[in-house]
Every structure is written in structure tokens, then in C-alpha cells.
Amino acid sequence: MKSLIHLFLLLFVSSLFAQEDLLVDLAKEDKTTNPVFATFKGQRIVSSQTNEQLKKKHLNVNILHRFGTINTGIENLFGVDQAFMRFVLEYGITDKLQISLGRSNISKMYDLGFKAKLIEQRTGYKPFPLSISYYGNMGVNTSTSKIYDYAGIAGKAFGRLNFTHQLLFTQKINEKFSWLIAPTAVYYNIVDLAEQKNLAILLGVGFSAKVSRSTRLNAEWYPRLTDRGNVTFQGSKTFDHIGVGFDIETGGHVFQFMLTNSNAMLEQQFLTQTTTSWTDLGIRLGFNISRTYSFNNEIKKTW
């Protein structure tokens, strides 16, 4: 009988310790915090940046294309006869820092970009409601445009440089909807006209809404807070950049189709040099195609 009592007490105490260990494990689990993934399908809403970026040792190849305006009519096949292109290579230095190298045929612009995750939106224990990223870009105009002649510095490299700086505030509300707010500064060492300002301040907004498992509807608008009366060197009036489009994901590819009033695809250009408007059907068809390649041998495939 004593042996049975001792055995019962042993089992009872063991059960208590097991329950206590379970409660400790549950408490630890409650304190976990997880980053939010896939706020957007890709690194661009339409033309502008999102908070998404590459994993370490991943390379992203991008082809961006915009046509002419549809209001040019059937003679130009509603803009299809014109072609504006940009190629971009993006590479993940770490999971939180990437660099990019691009080339646009508009102004024969080369550009070097950086994107860094500063704060990630998190769930679970002590959640944080937003992601905050920084994006910066430096471009150099290699064309022989007359815009440099008025200052007498044509051919001087520093006069051809231009820059974009952005803070990207994003939030994934749920699996179906995400939004972005992007305070932005664009700076030109040399502007088109002497009376223009070198610095432009904008406040971009955008969203992405899930339509189906592999498709999302996107939109973006970058209203200028300064220099709204700017004109180009040729005397053309400038307008705020607006774009709407769809993401279609198929395996490792992301296809983006859009309508936008900007022919340029580099931030410095489409944010401050858009010369057509939605109101007069100065709208352009366009697409982005991206493909990602992994060079991280540390990742083992599981079958």
C-alpha cells in the first residue's frame, strides 16, 4: 500500500512539474514577435518604391517599359509606336540592405540606388504597426542636352548629378490590403531653368489590394508640395505623377501592367518631370517584369 501511495505521489508531482513547464513554454511563446512579410507583391507599386527588398545574395533583374500617350491616336497606335525603357539590377547585401544599378534611355541616365529596412512591422508580443524603410538614389545624366548650357558648366560631372531620398512608411492591414506614405525629396544639381528650385518636396501615397490569389490592384499618387508651377526646358508644364496597375505573380516572375501619365521610370524624372496629364488622356500603357535569382548557397532545398 505504501508503495502505491509513493507511486501516486510521484506521478502527481511529476504531473505538476509538467504542467508548470507547459505554462512556462506557453508564456515564452506569448512573448514571440514575428515580422510581417509580403506587404506588397514586389518592390514597386507602379513606378515608385515599396518597402519590399531582396534577401541576402539574391539578384533581381527588372525590365521597365512605358509607351507613348494614348491621345496620340491611331496614327501612333495609341502610343505603342513610342518606347521608353529602364533596366535595373538589384542585389541583396544583407536581408536588410540592398543596392541597385539602373540605366534609362530618357536622358541616358545611369543611377545607383540603396534601400534599407529601418523598422519592420511586427505581430505577437509587443507588436509594431508599421514598417519604415529608407530609399536613396543618385543619377547622372549622360546626354548632351542644352539644359546645361545656361550655367556654362556643360560637361562638368557634378552638374549632371541628381538625387532622391525617401522614407517609406508602410502597413499591411491584412492579407487583402496594404498602404504606403512616402515623404520624398528630389534634388538636381542643375535644373532646367535658372529660376527653378533645385529641391522638390513631395508626399507620395499608394495602396495595394488583393483581387485573387496571384493578382493585386495597385495605385500611387505623388503630389508635389513645392514647385508646382515648374516647366521643363522646352516650356512644357509639369504634373503630379499618378499610376494604377495590376500585379500578376507566376512562379519566380512578377508581371506588372499599368496606366500612368509618366514616361520616365527613375524617381528623379517621373516625380518632377511628368509633362502629361490624366485629364487630357495623356496616359501611357506600361509594364514591369522582374525575375529573382538566388546565389545564397547557405539555403538548402527541401523536397
Side-chain angles (χ1 to χ4, degrees):
M1 180 63 70
K2 288 182 179 180
S3 297
L4 290 174
I5 292 173
H6 283 299
L7 179 60
F8 174 77
L9 290 174
L10 182 61
L11 293 173
F12 179 72
V13 172
S14 298
S15 176
L16 289 178
F17 278 112
Q19 291 180 19
E20 183 178 352
D21 290 341
L22 179 60
L23 290 174
V24 170
D25 290 340
L26 289 173
K28 289 180 179 179
E29 186 177 337
D30 287 342
K31 289 192 175 184
T32 59
T33 177
N34 301 305
V36 172
F37 294 100
T39 304
F40 295 90
K41 276 286 185 185
Q43 297 202 47
R44 290 168 180 79
I45 300 180
V46 176
S47 297
S48 65
Q49 298 290 323
T50 71
N51 67 314
E52 300 297 328
Q53 59 189 73
L54 295 172
K55 295 291 186 181
K56 179 181 178 181
K57 295 184 179 180
H58 281 61
L59 174 70
N60 202 32
V61 180
N62 299 271
I63 300 174
L64 293 76
H65 191 109
R66 304 292 183 268
F67 294 104
T69 55
I70 64 174
N71 61 8
T72 55
I74 189 62
E75 181 181 355
N76 293 305
L77 198 56
F78 302 99
V80 174
D81 285 353
Q82 289 182 296
F84 306 94
M85 299 188 69
R86 182 176 181 226
F87 297 94
V88 188
L89 298 177
E90 297 162 332
Y91 185 76
I93 302 297
T94 70
D95 288 348
K96 295 188 176 182
L97 175 66
Q98 77 173 40
I99 61 173
S100 62
L101 179 65
R103 204 277 188 180
S104 305
N105 65 352
I106 299 176
S107 297
K108 303 186 186 300
M109 190 83 74
Y110 290 88
D111 62 273
L112 178 66
F114 302 87
K115 188 189 285 189
K117 290 182 181 179
L118 305 180
I119 299 175
E120 293 181 296
Q121 182 181 352
R122 307 187 80 87
T123 61
Y125 181 68
K126 291 185 178 180
F128 192 80
L130 300 173
S131 290
I132 305 175
S133 297
Y134 164 79
Y135 173 75
N137 190 298
M138 179 181 71
V140 55
N141 186 328
T142 65
S143 71
T144 56
S145 171
K146 292 182 179 180
I147 67 172
Y148 302 102
D149 292 345
Y150 78 88
I153 62 166
K156 293 186 178 181
F158 83 93
R160 295 176 175 270
L161 297 177
N162 43 78
F163 308 87
T164 292
H165 299 282
Q166 292 186 303
L167 282 177
L168 307 170
F169 296 88
T170 60
Q171 185 180 49
K172 186 176 183 179
I173 302 295
N174 51 45
E175 293 299 320
K176 294 185 177 181
F177 190 84
S178 303
W179 59 262
L180 170 143
I181 295 178
T184 302
V186 176
Y187 187 86
Y188 278 83
N189 279 0
I190 294 297
V191 290
D192 286 2
L193 300 172
E195 61 269 21
Q196 291 181 347
K197 303 294 184 181
N198 297 76
L199 176 66
I201 304 298
L202 307 94
L203 184 62
V205 294
F207 75 85
S208 178
K210 185 176 181 180
V211 177
S212 67
R213 183 177 179 180
S214 59
T215 307
R216 297 185 74 92
L217 170 66
N218 305 315
E220 63 189 17
W221 173 38
Y222 272 78
R224 295 163 295 166
L225 304 183
T226 62
D227 297 328
R228 295 190 62 83
N230 268 2
V231 294
T232 66
F233 179 78
Q234 294 82 6
S236 300
K237 184 180 179 181
T238 57
F239 299 89
D240 293 341
H241 164 78
I242 300 174
V244 296
F246 282 94
D247 288 346
I248 301 175
E249 184 179 18
T250 57
H253 295 79
V254 176
F255 298 92
Q256 294 183 299
F257 298 92
M258 71 281 299
L259 290 172
T260 173
N261 61 325
S262 303
N263 62 349
M265 292 142 280
L266 176 65
E267 283 76 13
Q268 291 92 301
Q269 295 176 315
F270 72 77
L271 292 179
T272 61
Q273 298 180 10
T274 295
T275 58
T276 56
S277 170
W278 280 72
T279 57
D280 60 4
L281 294 182
I283 309 167
R284 306 166 188 273
L285 294 169
F287 62 83
N288 302 334
I289 301 175
S290 65
R291 171 68 179 177
T292 301
Y293 301 90
S294 175
F295 297 94
N296 192 347
N297 296 325
E298 299 171 2
I299 300 177
K300 296 181 179 180
K301 294 183 178 180
T302 56
W303 302 93

